[in-house]
Amino acid sequence: ARGISDKIFDEALGNAKPIPRVIELDRNQPEFKMTFDEYLGKVVSKARQRIATKKMIEHDEILTKVSKKYGVQKRFIITFWGVETSFGRYLGSFNVPHSLATLAYDGRRSAYFRKELLNALQILEEGHITAANMKGSWAGAMGQSQFMPSSFLSYAVDWHGDGQRDIWATTEDVFASTAYYLSQAGWRDDRTWGRMVSIPQGFKMNGKTPMQLAEAKTNVKLATWSAAGALAVDGSALPTADLKARLVMPSGASGPTFLVYSNFDSILAWNRSNYYALAIGHLSDTLR
């Protein structure tokens, strides 16, 4: 029904066997044991900051074009690339159709992975990559932008119009696909992601503590936060931009506090982790 030919099916799955390592990784995903500071230190390392700076200069011409077309700042496109695959160096070594077939067969989330397997076969049928080269993570995330097959079908871009959406080896397609995904998730290039803030002792808004406000995702104008006593982290006044913001406190009441804007939620559309979204924000800030 999806138009997958016998040829493509046989190339992708003719010699497939369940991969025990995939089941093992799916069963034993490590609980998130890193603190926010540990995670930030690992993801936004000095080495990654240095490489990101070089890559941003090296690819400035194409980044400028992609940024203008999709309305996503260059620094964010480079940041996602760096965090996802270390600038295209680590794409994953699993055969994607075999991994997805294993997870579809396994039963824990078989309906989801069955859909992703059919999506992967459609990508092969459309000729964007060969079955032998369709490598990715154990869970089927592919290419330099680590798109699941469903994300590929929805957001991958053929920048040059050569008929292939190549997120594995064509940097231009990787950048355009990343930017298009974010633009479709509501990205605005007239604002940043958010900022670290200082909240005074005893701060309350409408009778709620900062932690309660963070948990409730209370989203109000920056001017409202300023009036309640929130300050920039250096003690100066918050910007006067007409933006809504909400609090994020990744380490609880005793840790750092951030006011985040709508772009933060666009990052969460890509990856649902506050740690991840804050790391994207921090690395992108080093590229300003």
Side-chain angles (χ1 to χ4, degrees), residues 101-119:
T102 299
L103 291 162
Y105 172 75
D106 173 56
R108 192 173 79 81
R109 287 187 290 164
S110 57
Y112 169 73
F113 286 112
R114 178 187 172 84
K115 283 179 188 167
E116 292 294 0
L117 173 59
L118 290 167
N119 289 332

Side-chain angles (χ1 to χ4, degrees), residues 132-227:
N133 290 327
M134 193 184 241
K135 296 286 171 64
S137 76
W138 64 267
M142 311 179 301
Q144 296 188 35
S145 47
Q146 290 291 281
F147 279 3
M148 289 299 289
S150 54
S151 294
F152 180 100
L153 291 174
S154 296
Y155 306 115
V157 172
D158 171 13
W159 181 259
H160 293 300
D162 62 3
Q164 288 184 310
R165 297 189 268 171
D166 182 11
I167 60 169
W168 290 268
T170 304
T171 310
E172 295 89 341
D173 287 4
V174 174
F175 293 165
S177 301
T178 299
Y180 181 57
Y181 188 114
L182 292 169
S183 74
Q184 292 300 107
W187 193 272
R188 296 274 302 269
D189 64 356
D190 60 352
R191 63 192 57 173
T192 185
W193 62 276
R195 64 185 62 248
M196 194 170 175
V197 293
S198 173
I199 300 292
Q201 202 78 28
F203 178 99
K204 286 209 170 169
M205 185 191 284
N206 299 329
K208 290 183 177 174
T209 65
M211 201 69 228
Q212 289 169 330
L213 291 163
E215 285 168 355
K217 298 188 176 179
T218 301
N219 200 32
V220 295
K221 294 277 181 80
L222 273 178
T224 307
W225 290 109
S226 292

